[in-house]
Amino acid sequence: MSNVQGRALLATVALATATVVASAPAASAAAKPEIEVSGGVTQPVFSYKDAIREHVRVQSPLDSDGDGNKDLVRVDIIRPKESNAGLKVPVIMHESPYYDQPGVGFELEHKTYDADGNLTKFPLFYDNYFVPRGYAFVSVDMVGTRLSGGCPTSGGPSDVLGGKAVIDWLNGRATAYDDKGNPVKASWTTGRTGMIGHSYEGSLAIGVAGTGVRGLETIVPLAAPSSWYEMWRANGTLTDFKGGQEWMAKYVDADPDEKCAAVHQRMSEGSDDATGNYNAYWHERNYRTGPISKARNVRASVFPVVGMHDRNVMADQFSQWWAGLPRTVQRKVWVTQYGHLDPFWARRDVWVNTLHQWFDHELMGVANDIMRQPRADVQLGPDRWITQADWPAPTRTTTLRPQQDGSLGLRPSTGTGSYLDTAQTEIAMADNPATTNPHRMAYLTPPLKNATRLSGTPTVSLRLKLDKPTANLGVLLVDHGTDSRIHGVDPNGQGLKLIDGKDCIGQSTADDDGCYLKAGDNTVTSGFQVVTRGIMDAQNHKSLSHPAPLTPGKPYQITWSMLPQDYEFKAGHRLGLVLTGTNADLGNVETGTETRVTVDLAGTSISLPLVTGTSSGR
């Protein structure tokens, strides 16, 4: 049976079990618990106030803290009361390491409990909105955080397998206990589960999906890492502070147990901050090709959201995972010009409606048109979105070459140039490209006659010589031209600003109102914008695991991929190429090698995937 056929069969079973009816008469609904569908979406016919609130601890297969007992994962549950009267419901699952600190979501929400230890407030809006529509919402404390046992491992096996154990329990394959130690079965669910989460939370969804676990039908990862090496490294360079893996594990664990000290020590040693190399430690945390989780093993449908200007979780975390998924995996994507963003804060009404249709289709089997809609929503600028059949858009590669006169064009070039590898900010390197700067080489195209759109991953190739064994090689692609742009340039920037008022999403109680501040695009008028970037430790140009120092004075051809982007250069603007050294904006860790980099222009180019058709706004 094919993956698509299997999903169709499971959807049929879910429909029958969940008793979904279209616009059922009131008398019928009163006689038997039913999920009601109208207009292609489930309707809020169940009481949020009267919903069942409970909690269990699911046994993980691992003992992350080495205390001789397998980790127990705390799971907080809210579900329609009718699920105790024969109604089987699917599950929306949010697993997070952040429930203690810093809190969950943009407003940093925390859980609150009643005298029996059940939640009176579930952070985020998923419970308020989806429980009245016939879903259970499951809020999971990641291993080692909040009320779960064990130690967090910053993307390690216990993080992933703890979440997988919850999926297994919801499908009758794992054990859970109540507070008295009695086994508890999830007899109220169809087992069909969707995971959703932002950043680390979304990474957990990607990791669990990559185990191929059955019962996980869809994931919605928002600004989520697919490989933890790229959270702290880029092609052998450090892009965030040293000791970050150990720091993260301690940060999310508000009351770390002494038993976790040995775990922290192993993380510190394994991450190898001294070199920036990729090793077995990082491979274990690679959800694209690693031993625990692989993109090729994903069975669930996927609906990721990526911010192309995210400097925390950079866009190649999405693009490489997306490209590695099996062709049979159903998918949808939002590609934005924001930073590290949950789209609930940017395009709220459209996002909630789209997410509603997605979960209904994937978890309830509702026959709506979500899969007949264009696969990709792409943001080209403030309040400007287009849709297209897939991402990236169909493109043709155009190769531009730096010229000795400072221009950037199609013709072959001659001559050389040089710069000194020191730590410099992107603004300093991109601004005033016509002026001489000892830390860069800058080039400009003539003004564009027509709007030109980049969609995909540019590559850069440099023919160079060094006067030392290595250097950090930096490349910037710049849009020169005054325009109103979304402003989100700091590493955790989202490109948003708060505006007056609140939205209340779904049903409420006195303890959990489901109301959230509003936000809008934070725009700025600027003369240029760095569109994408690439950085490489030259000695890692052949291998991230086995560095090979260069012979000073010997020419080398070094080619690598920059970060992906989907961006429109407007008519009259100019494309800029900057060749430079250490990028001071990426973590402010590397200080530069003080190496002289001499570039042979005849062997240097940037290749851009440019859209072959025209883009239209929506």
Side-chain angles (χ1 to χ4, degrees):
M1 179 183 295
S2 72
N3 189 32
V4 173
Q5 289 171 325
R7 289 174 58 80
L9 177 59
L10 284 173
T12 302
V13 172
L15 278 166
T17 308
T19 322
V20 178
V21 296
S23 301
S28 173
K32 183 180 180 181
E34 293 174 332
I35 293 167
E36 184 175 328
V37 175
S38 179
V41 290
T42 52
Q43 299 300 305
V45 298
F46 303 103
S47 169
Y48 177 74
K49 178 181 178 182
D50 296 333
I52 295 167
R53 292 163 170 81
E54 59 190 345
H55 63 276
V56 299
R57 287 178 172 83
V58 174
Q59 184 172 280
S60 165
L62 298 184
D63 172 16
S64 62
D65 58 11
D67 67 354
N69 299 304
K70 292 180 178 179
D71 301 332
L72 293 178
V73 181
R74 167 73 178 226
V75 180
D76 293 297
I77 303 162
I78 181 169
R79 54 188 174 90
K81 68 177 182 180
E82 289 81 0
S83 60
N84 267 4
L87 179 68
K88 302 282 188 179
V89 297
V91 174
I92 295 171
M93 174 173 156
H94 177 253
E95 181 184 14
S96 180
Y98 298 139
Y99 287 124
D100 260 332
Q101 56 185 25
V104 172
F106 191 75
E107 295 188 20
L108 302 180
E109 296 179 84
H110 295 270
K111 295 180 174 182
T112 59
Y113 305 83
D114 64 17
D116 295 322
N118 296 317
L119 289 195
T120 56
K121 176 176 175 55
F122 285 79
L124 306 178
F125 77 97
Y126 306 125
D127 56 312
N128 305 87
Y129 188 83
F130 286 105
V131 171
R133 289 166 168 81
Y135 291 85
F137 177 64
V138 168
S139 179
V140 181
D141 299 349
M142 192 192 79
V143 164
T145 68
R146 195 55 183 156
L147 300 180
S148 288
C151 302
T153 54
S154 299
S158 59
D159 288 9
V160 173
L161 296 181
K164 177 182 178 293
V166 178
I167 306 293
D168 283 331
W169 172 67
L170 291 167
N171 286 273
R173 299 187 299 266
T175 303
Y177 302 96
D178 64 17
D179 287 344
K180 296 180 180 179
N182 299 313
V184 180
K185 293 186 179 297
S187 56
W188 41 266
T189 180
T190 63
R192 295 177 66 82
T193 304
M195 290 183 71
I196 187 169
H198 176 251
S199 194
Y200 197 152
E201 304 160 349
S203 185
L204 296 172
I206 289 174
V208 173
T211 68
V213 61
R214 294 186 181 274
L216 181 59
E217 302 301 324
T218 191
I219 62 169
V220 184
L222 315 173
S226 59
S227 172
W228 283 74
Y229 176 82
E230 279 92 353
M231 281 294 295
W232 309 94
R233 310 280 192 272
N235 297 313
T237 66
L238 273 66
T239 58
D240 218 325
F241 58 89
K242 294 183 178 182
Q245 281 285 98
E246 181 183 355
W247 171 86
M248 176 64 77
K250 292 178 177 178
Y251 177 66
V252 298
D253 186 2
D255 53 347
D257 195 296
E258 284 299 317
K259 293 190 290 288
C260 294
V263 176
H264 298 155
Q265 181 63 28
R266 289 194 296 271
M267 293 174 67
S268 178
E269 294 170 356
S271 57
D272 187 19
D273 285 337
T275 70
N277 294 337
Y278 184 87
N279 57 25
Y281 172 89
W282 294 112
H283 191 55
E284 195 174 51
R285 289 160 173 78
N286 184 336
Y287 304 156
R288 302 193 290 261
T289 61
I292 305 299
S293 177
K294 293 178 171 65
R296 72 184 187 197
N297 290 342
V298 172
R299 299 173 182 270
S301 65
V302 303
F303 184 1
V305 176
V306 56
M308 287 296 181
H309 289 288
D310 190 342
R311 296 197 203 174
N312 185 348
V313 179
M314 297 186 201
D316 58 340
Q317 296 268 21
F318 152 73
S319 63
Q320 293 189 52
W321 174 73
W322 178 260
L325 292 168
R327 292 174 62 87
T328 52
V329 168
Q330 296 191 62
R331 64 187 80 186
K332 190 172 179 64
V333 65
W334 279 18
V335 177
T336 84
Q337 289 297 311
Y338 297 113
H340 196 55
L341 179 74
D342 179 336
F344 180 76
W345 292 95
R347 204 186 181 200
R348 182 169 295 171
D349 291 344
V350 179
W351 173 245
V352 172
N353 290 336
T354 305
L355 187 64
H356 184 186
Q357 292 178 64
W358 180 264
F359 279 144
D360 278 359
H361 186 276
E362 296 300 285
L363 300 180
M364 292 280 195
V366 173
N368 56 37
D369 68 350
I370 190 71
M371 289 303 185
R372 295 191 296 274
Q373 298 173 16
R375 176 175 287 175
D377 278 38
V378 180
Q379 183 185 33
L380 296 181
D383 300 318
R384 184 163 180 232
W385 292 78
I386 62 170
T387 59
Q388 61 192 38
D390 205 349
W391 192 89
T395 59
R396 180 178 295 132
T397 299
T398 297
T399 299
L400 300 177
R401 296 172 173 85
Q403 308 293 317
Q404 205 165 10
D405 62 0
S407 64
L408 184 65
L410 299 173
R411 69 182 189 275
S413 184
T414 59
T416 62
S418 70
Y419 62 87
L420 194 66
D421 172 25
T422 58
Q424 301 290 327
T425 67
E426 291 185 354
I427 290 177
M429 292 299 92
D431 200 7
N432 299 314
T435 62
T436 301
N437 188 311
H439 307 291
R440 71 162 189 214
M441 298 162 61
Y443 304 88
L444 282 174
T445 67
L448 298 175
K449 294 181 180 179
N450 301 298
T452 301
R453 182 175 158 214
L454 168 74
S455 182
T457 303
T459 58
V460 62
S461 188
L462 307 181
R463 186 180 297 168
L464 53 79
K465 293 187 290 188
L466 308 181
D467 67 353
K468 294 181 181 180
T470 195
N472 290 329
L473 308 175
V475 180
L476 305 176
L477 179 66
V478 187
D479 175 18
H480 288 278
T482 301
D483 203 356
S484 177
R485 299 177 170 99
I486 294 171
H487 184 60
V489 297
D490 66 281
N492 290 298
Q494 302 198 43
L496 298 175
K497 62 181 178 182
L498 294 177
I499 58 179
D500 291 339
K502 285 190 173 187
D503 289 322
C504 296
I505 311 296
Q507 297 181 18
S508 301
T509 64
D511 296 305
D512 194 338
D513 63 10
C515 298
Y516 294 88
L517 298 169
K518 294 182 179 181
D521 288 354
N522 184 24
T523 60
V524 62
T525 298
S526 61
F528 67 90
Q529 179 169 26
V530 175
V531 174
T532 187
R533 56 197 55 81
I535 191 165
M536 162 76 71
D537 184 341
Q539 65 184 334
N540 288 103
H541 74 279
K542 289 187 175 180
S543 170
L544 295 181
S545 299
H546 304 289
L550 280 63
T551 301
K554 178 181 176 180
Y556 291 83
Q557 192 74 42
I558 298 180
T559 303
W560 78 99
S561 296
M562 300 173 70
L563 293 176
Q565 180 57 276
D566 204 301
Y567 188 91
E568 185 175 66
F569 299 87
K570 293 184 177 180
H573 286 208
R574 306 173 75 181
L575 276 67
L577 173 65
V578 178
L579 308 180
T580 185
T582 300
N583 191 319
D585 292 334
L586 298 181
N588 198 26
V589 179
E590 301 273 2
T591 58
T593 61
E594 299 291 333
T595 297
R596 172 66 57 182
V597 181
T598 301
V599 179
D600 182 352
L601 299 183
T604 296
S605 62
I606 183 170
S607 296
L608 305 176
L610 300 181
V611 175
T612 53
T614 57
S615 57
S616 59
R618 175 167 67 86

